[in-house]
Amino acid sequence: MQTEFYDDEPILFRVNIQNKADSALTLVYALEGSDVPWRAPEAYFVARQLTPARLPAPSYRCAQVAGIDSTDFITLLPGASFDPLYKQAQSTVQLPTLYPLLPAGTYEITFQYSTMPTQPLEWTGGSHEPLDVPATEARLRRVPRASLESNAVRVRVQPARARLKQLGAK
């Protein structure tokens, strides 16, 4: 895995959650607002700074998020794995808020995924829209309550590279 990055680029990680059980498991992809976390499942990165540097101020985002529906669930057979960030990572607009974007320094980064919330409203992102169908609520009841943390990855972030235009290129 690449461990050197620049402070003007998101640090892209490959995240996989594997089902090590003997039976199928129902989980939910990270949804809009899962990284804040405004909704379940909570899915976000934590960066622990190992060298002094000034961290950026938190960015502001729109609090309006889409609801949850049947396409947000995945059934994992025994031994199968999935990337909980896959659906959100399909939108390049979301990459800077989805993956860490850090100033120069050395960090230990972990990924957190939690399905602990039990109330349906916590899964809809605070939207007061009802769940799309009773089947969605039934699927939510099948999601096991768990809080997962990845192994830590140590990365070093360098100051931003000079843009070609700044170097005189056309």
Side-chain angles (χ1 to χ4, degrees):
M1 178 186 160
Q2 176 184 348
T3 58
E4 297 272 330
F5 299 91
Y6 293 94
D7 71 1
D8 61 345
E9 302 169 343
I11 301 171
L12 303 179
F13 285 92
R14 183 174 175 207
V15 176
N16 277 303
I17 295 175
Q18 184 178 20
N19 178 5
K20 294 187 176 188
D22 295 335
S23 58
L25 180 65
T26 300
L27 291 174
V28 179
Y29 284 100
L31 303 169
E32 197 179 13
S34 288
D35 58 313
V36 179
W38 286 335
R39 68 168 334 147
E42 296 174 358
Y44 56 92
F45 290 94
V46 173
R48 186 170 63 93
Q49 203 166 7
L50 302 177
T51 57
R54 185 179 174 141
L55 288 174
S59 60
Y60 294 97
R61 301 173 39 169
C62 175
Q64 184 80 16
V65 295
I68 186 170
D69 65 36
S70 62
T71 65
D72 297 321
F73 291 85
I74 184 166
T75 299
L76 292 181
L77 297 176
S81 61
F82 89 115
D83 177 355
L85 303 176
Y86 174 77
K87 286 181 73 172
Q88 283 196 24
Q90 300 307 301
S91 167
T92 56
V93 172
Q94 290 187 324
L95 290 182
T97 60
L98 188 59
Y99 294 101
L101 187 62
L102 301 167
T106 303
Y107 301 87
E108 237 180 38
I109 300 175
T110 58
F111 179 73
Q112 314 287 319
Y113 179 86
S114 173
T115 59
M116 296 303 287
T118 58
Q119 299 303 311
L121 190 60
E122 294 172 285
W123 291 83
T124 62
S127 166
H128 294 289
E129 297 175 21
L131 295 176
D132 63 349
V133 289
T136 300
E137 198 163 344
R139 281 185 174 177
L140 278 177
R141 285 193 295 276
R142 288 196 307 264
V143 174
R145 300 299 169 239
S147 186
L148 309 175
E149 180 176 353
S150 73
N151 56 313
V153 175
R154 183 176 282 205
V155 298
R156 194 172 103 185
V157 179
Q158 301 291 336
R161 295 185 270 197
R163 303 275 191 261
L164 290 176
K165 192 169 187 172
Q166 292 171 323
L167 297 173
K170 296 184 181 183

